[in-house]
Amino acid sequence: MAGASPTPSANGRRKNLDAELNLVPFIDLLSMCICFLLMTAVWLEIGSIDVKQYLGTDAPTETSSYDVELNFLSSRRAEVRVKTPDKSVERQTVDAENPALLAQAVGGVLEGLARRIGQGETQVVLAKSVSAARLFPNGGVSYGDLVAMMDAFRARGIVNIGVMPVKE
Amino acid sequence: MSTLGPQVLTVGSFQKHLIARKQKKAKTRRLMTAGLTLTSMVDMFSLLVIFLLQTFSTSPELITVSKNVHLPIAVSASTFRDAPVLAVTAEEIYVDQKLVGRTDDLLKNPQALLDRLTELRELWQRAHPHDEFGGHISLQADKDLSGAIVSRLMGILPSQAYSTVQLTVISRGGS
């Protein structure tokens, strides 16, 4: 067994007790870890927003639920139409300074709708009550703004979203 | 005149010391190597490993985002599922990384796109004869592209039984 005791050496000098640490295997291990992790690192988290494209009678025809339509009038203005179970239609025009704020403003309209429908969390109320939402990307709105609006709908519990084809 | 007897010249102690020193210098080799401090490199490696461990992912999907396509950002995005990829730019349309045609031309006459989608569907049905075709397709489009173009393309897809379109987005704190 190796020991370290201050025995006098032949030439009268003290033996050095410090042990040298070999860092070479440690550096090799770190290099291999870095190479492996660089290959498996995820730099961009990719997700998806599901859109159900309904055609004609394929659309859900729940009569006891609400239907929401959003028509983009421009990138900063939109009209929200809510079809209630008693066949009435509520319309509201929403204006905002920029497309991001428009999505927030429409989200506020949806939250107001949830409060009118019933008590509870917005997501739960709208998920139960709203059967489908349809977006009409008129007004020269960009795809990014359309996705932001869909994101606002999904964040408030409306997941059955369709995008209607429009002419440019 | 007195004469000195024969004289024997001997080397004195000081001369001996000088000779010994000269020999010692000749024997001692000068080290040509310099010591390398590895501490800072080990610190850097450790930090790199810790940072890369945070971005580590075991997800098996390898998603290739097409060139010139800047995906929009979404907060409430779902997990991406494997599906054929329809990539749309302002100039061209690709299906599974293969060029189908120019966007303007395909919007006027989408036959080439329909044929390609039919081909993919038939390939899937041949590979899964006992399963029902799910109709999933991924759409990658640039965020600055007109929403009307994307909506028209999405309107074409259900005619080839692709009823569920998953819009590819960059997830920020998704579900």
Side-chain angles (χ1 to χ4, degrees):
Chain A
M1 190 171 83
S5 55
T7 54
S9 58
N11 57 2
R13 288 184 189 164
R14 275 195 181 174
K15 205 173 174 182
N16 195 357
L17 296 178
D18 296 330
E20 282 190 2
L21 190 64
N22 191 6
L23 287 179
V24 172
F26 181 57
I27 290 168
D28 286 342
L29 176 69
L30 284 183
S31 306
M32 290 299 108
C33 280
I34 286 170
C35 290
F36 170 74
L37 291 172
L38 267 173
M39 285 189 286
T40 57
V42 171
W43 306 109
L44 275 182
E45 190 83 30
I46 302 283
S48 69
I49 292 180
D50 286 348
V51 173
K52 291 267 185 199
Q53 291 300 94
Y54 297 112
L55 280 181
T57 54
D58 290 341
T61 53
E62 299 268 349
T63 53
S64 60
S65 59
Y66 293 75
D67 235 356
V68 178
E69 286 183 0
L70 186 134
N71 183 23
F72 281 94
L73 300 173
S74 74
S75 59
R76 289 178 289 182
R77 195 173 207 210
E79 184 190 44
V80 181
R81 288 191 292 265
V82 178
K83 292 180 186 171
T84 59
D86 59 0
K87 310 287 183 199
S88 66
V89 177
E90 297 172 4
R91 289 170 201 266
Q92 187 172 349
T93 304
V94 182
D95 288 295
E97 287 177 5
N98 59 52
L101 291 176
L102 180 66
Q104 278 184 22
V106 169
V109 169
L110 294 175
E111 284 163 9
L113 173 66
R115 283 193 292 271
R116 287 202 306 275
I117 291 171
Q119 284 189 347
E121 272 195 39
T122 304
Q123 280 186 342
V124 174
V125 171
L126 291 180
K128 281 184 191 168
S129 314
V130 177
S131 61
R134 280 179 282 276
L135 304 188
F136 295 82
N138 291 305
V141 70
S142 70
Y143 173 62
D145 300 337
L146 179 63
V147 167
M149 191 60 70
M150 292 166 69
D151 201 23
F153 273 71
R154 283 175 62 91
R156 284 153 184 91
I158 301 173
V159 295
N160 287 338
I161 304 170
V163 176
M164 301 294 111
V166 296
K167 287 183 186 173
E168 268 187 291
Chain B
M1 189 170 91
S2 61
T3 59
L4 293 170
Q7 292 179 347
V8 177
L9 284 176
T10 58
V11 178
S13 61
F14 182 64
Q15 282 85 1
K16 275 185 188 170
H17 165 73
L18 286 176
I19 292 166
R21 196 174 78 174
K22 198 173 177 182
Q23 283 171 352
K24 193 178 172 186
K25 269 189 183 174
K27 277 183 192 172
T28 317
R29 283 186 190 173
R30 265 179 127 173
L31 286 174
M32 299 303 290
T33 57
L36 189 66
T37 313
L38 293 177
T39 312
S40 44
M41 192 178 87
V42 170
D43 286 343
M44 186 199 72
F45 273 19
S46 307
L47 286 172
L48 263 176
V49 165
I50 292 166
F51 170 72
L52 290 173
L53 271 171
Q54 288 176 332
T55 58
F56 175 68
S57 168
T58 54
S59 172
E61 286 108 14
L62 286 173
I63 302 150
T64 311
V65 180
S66 302
K67 199 174 59 167
N68 299 330
V69 172
H70 299 100
L71 298 176
I73 296 171
V75 170
S76 58
S78 314
T79 314
F80 185 85
R81 287 187 304 275
D82 197 21
V85 175
L86 175 65
V88 185
T89 65
E91 291 86 29
E92 290 161 340
I93 292 178
Y94 297 81
V95 174
D96 277 349
Q97 310 294 318
K98 289 182 189 163
L99 176 66
V100 180
R102 293 190 58 80
T103 307
D104 296 335
D105 298 338
L106 285 171
L107 285 173
K108 288 173 194 164
N109 181 13
Q111 195 56 46
L113 179 60
L114 296 175
D115 292 341
R116 180 79 186 116
L117 292 173
T118 307
E119 192 186 317
L120 279 175
R121 189 183 76 240
E122 285 170 359
L123 254 167
W124 190 95
Q125 284 168 337
R126 273 202 295 272
H128 304 84
H130 304 295
D131 296 331
E132 196 182 333
F133 182 61
H136 293 273
I137 188 165
S138 299
L139 180 67
Q140 286 181 12
D142 189 81
K143 61 183 178 181
D144 295 324
L145 192 63
S146 166
I149 292 176
V150 176
S151 69
R152 284 167 64 189
L153 279 169
M154 289 169 70
I156 291 170
L157 295 173
S159 66
Q160 300 303 310
Y162 289 96
S163 56
T164 305
V165 181
Q166 52 176 14
L167 306 180
T168 310
V169 296
I170 294 174
S171 181
R172 289 270 188 268
S175 55

